[in-house]
Amino acid sequence: MIEQIDFEDLPISELKAAKTAKGKGMKILYISCVGSHMWGMESKESDIDLVMIYTVSTRRILRGEKFPAAIRQEMAAKEGGKANLCRESYHSIKGMAESQIKSETGQLKLSGAGLVKRPGKGYRTALRSINFGIELLREARISYEPVMHDPTPEELKEGMNQLDEAYRQSMLPDLPDEDQFRDFLLGQRLKEMDEDAGKD
């Protein structure tokens, strides 16, 4: 998802952070939601976790200047975006689901003999990841639907089978179109260099 950000649309605290980043020569390319709001599973206490993706001035890079490796900020998300979907996503989605299942299974074992512990967030997030992957591979659609019930191990196993089948039958390209992003970044760099040249 590539999303242009208008600084003036941000709340005051985030506006200050974004302007600080801009003042240090960093151009914000897009902001992506990475937390519970992305999945529609937020609670009243949930904050909005977004990652700010930016470029540093070409002039600073060529001069060998140091700059921050990463910036993380919380702010309100905006609608819109651009997708570049592919079958390669299957591997990371399945790995995430397997990790979530393993983590939850471990917690259940740690609950101790004779204690009844209901499967919790791990199984729900695993099924959410599985459903997300199936929808992406079958329909070429990004859908972050929450899972509100407690899945059983059998339901998760069947979901994994469906994810595998969706991967085998997917009509998406095997790999993302890298040129799409390279062209976007090249355009950003050329625009920036033209702006810098006009200041001299």
Side-chain angles (χ1 to χ4, degrees):
M1 181 170 67
I2 298 174
E3 181 179 321
Q4 297 297 329
I5 302 299
D6 183 351
F7 287 158
E8 301 305 324
D9 288 343
L10 300 177
I12 293 176
S13 59
E14 288 76 19
L15 173 62
K16 181 178 179 181
K19 285 187 173 179
T20 298
K22 186 177 181 183
K24 293 181 179 180
M26 294 176 278
K27 181 186 289 285
I28 299 173
L29 300 182
Y30 65 95
I31 296 175
S32 178
C33 183
V34 296
S36 58
H37 282 80
M38 178 181 75
W39 299 101
M41 297 182 74
E42 72 277 6
S43 66
K44 292 181 179 180
E45 292 76 28
S46 298
D47 54 10
I48 301 177
D49 297 314
L50 301 182
V51 172
M52 183 186 300
I53 308 300
Y54 67 94
T55 60
V56 176
S57 163
T58 302
R59 183 188 296 263
R60 291 184 64 187
I61 292 174
L62 294 177
R63 287 178 174 172
E65 297 180 23
K66 293 183 178 180
F67 46 84
I71 294 177
R72 187 180 178 95
Q73 181 62 32
E74 296 173 3
M75 58 189 71
K78 295 177 65 178
E79 295 294 328
K82 186 176 184 180
N84 191 354
L85 307 179
C86 69
R87 294 175 77 242
E88 185 69 12
S89 305
Y90 158 82
H91 302 290
S92 58
I93 293 169
K94 183 174 182 179
M96 177 182 292
E98 289 174 338
S99 176
Q100 291 161 340
I101 292 171
K102 183 178 179 181
S103 175
E104 183 65 24
T105 302
Q107 291 298 318
L108 290 172
K109 289 179 179 177
L110 288 174
S111 64
L115 295 177
V116 178
K117 182 179 185 298
R118 183 179 83 162
K121 184 177 180 181
Y123 281 2
R124 293 194 299 273
T125 54
L127 184 57
R128 179 196 63 188
S129 298
I130 291 168
N131 292 340
F132 166 72
I134 293 171
E135 187 76 10
L136 184 150
L137 293 165
R138 285 181 179 169
E139 307 295 334
R141 189 170 77 91
I142 301 295
S143 177
Y144 303 116
E145 297 296 331
V147 173
M148 307 309 293
H149 69 284
D150 294 326
T152 64
E154 293 74 23
E155 185 177 1
L156 292 171
K157 183 177 180 180
E158 176 58 26
M160 282 292 199
N161 291 336
Q162 291 184 28
L163 178 62
D164 293 341
E165 186 63 22
Y167 172 66
R168 286 190 289 270
Q169 296 182 0
S170 178
M171 300 300 291
L172 291 176
D174 288 335
L175 297 172
D177 180 4
E178 291 188 14
D179 289 343
Q180 180 182 13
F181 292 105
R182 294 185 188 280
D183 290 346
F184 169 75
L185 292 173
L186 175 62
Q188 291 290 323
R189 290 290 179 194
L190 292 175
K191 180 181 177 182
E192 176 193 304
M193 292 172 73
D194 285 342
E195 292 173 351
D196 284 348
K199 296 176 184 178
D200 294 337

